[in-house]
Amino acid sequence: VLAQTFQDFEVIVVDDGSTDDGAEVVRGFDDSRIRLTQQENQGVSAARNRGIAAARAELVAFLDADDEWLPGFLETILRLRTLYPGAGLYGTAYEVHFPGSIVQRVYVKDEGDRLLSSYFGALVNFGSNIFNSSSFAAPKNVLIGVGGYFLGEKWNEDGTLWGKIALQYPVAYSPVV
């Protein structure tokens, strides 16, 4: 996160009952943009909702502990927001790195940055999610307006959220990883 080309951001680390000393690592950063909030383990949806509630920014993006943003991620998201200010969801392509250095690139480059004509149609055409939990952002008011993450969800909680947003707002997409 700290290597982003766009540096005006806040980082809210939600420790959802971690046992790996992550909170101590976060406390070791001397950066006023980084804030730690802790809670007993309640699962990913509750942790994401806690982060949304704590955010001061108008736009919220998530980064899971086992994921990484390339340096231009926030710049790409902000470019999408400038191009498509009415969108409720901004997502980018992503790569999945498997053990043994197998890399799966997940993107659709044929049309460049764009509003999807149909988010649900794009899912069908693409055959899977076109972005993942660490390659999207949404306005805080949109996340709150759709009720945030559903707490009873045990699988694909992001997909459920994206669907709720896509029913009400346009979805912007960039094929840039």
Side-chain angles (χ1 to χ4, degrees), residues 96-112:
V96 179
H97 293 255
F98 294 102
S101 300
I102 298 169
V103 177
Q104 175 187 4
R105 291 177 174 85
V106 182
Y107 54 85
V108 180
K109 288 193 173 192
D110 57 341
E111 298 173 39

Side-chain angles (χ1 to χ4, degrees), residues 54-130:
R56 296 178 187 141
E58 293 179 21
L59 197 60
V60 178
F62 301 90
L63 182 61
D64 290 344
D66 60 345
D67 290 342
E68 175 184 4
W69 287 342
L70 295 180
F73 173 72
L74 290 178
E75 187 176 329
T76 300
I77 291 294
L78 292 172
R79 182 181 71 245
L80 286 173
R81 187 162 192 219
T82 297
L83 290 170
Y84 309 109
L89 190 58
Y90 304 94
T92 71
Y94 61 99
E95 292 179 344
V96 179
H97 293 255
F98 294 102
S101 300
I102 298 169
V103 177
Q104 175 187 4
R105 291 177 174 85
V106 182
Y107 54 85
V108 180
K109 288 193 173 192
D110 57 341
E111 298 173 39
D113 289 352
R114 62 192 178 276
L115 282 179
L116 298 175
S117 58
S118 166
Y119 167 77
F120 299 101
L123 289 177
V124 171
N125 291 337
F126 195 62
S128 67
N129 287 327
I130 58 172

Side-chain angles (χ1 to χ4, degrees), residues 129-162:
N129 287 327
I130 58 172
F131 37 82
N132 72 12
S133 58
S134 294
S135 74
F136 87 98
K140 180 177 177 175
N141 67 317
V142 169
L143 292 166
I144 292 170
V146 300
Y149 282 88
F150 180 64
L151 295 180
E153 199 78 31
K154 297 291 182 195
W155 179 80
N156 200 22
E157 62 282 338
D158 294 302
T160 300
L161 176 77
W162 301 332

Side-chain angles (χ1 to χ4, degrees), residues 1-2 6-13 31-35 51-62 69 74 140:
V1 173
L2 299 178
F6 178 82
Q7 286 286 304
D8 185 17
F9 56 78
E10 65 179 337
V11 175
I12 301 163
V13 177
D31 190 323
S32 62
R33 298 173 297 178
I34 302 172
R35 297 190 337 247
I52 293 166
R56 296 178 187 141
E58 293 179 21
L59 197 60
V60 178
F62 301 90
W69 287 342
L74 290 178
K140 180 177 177 175

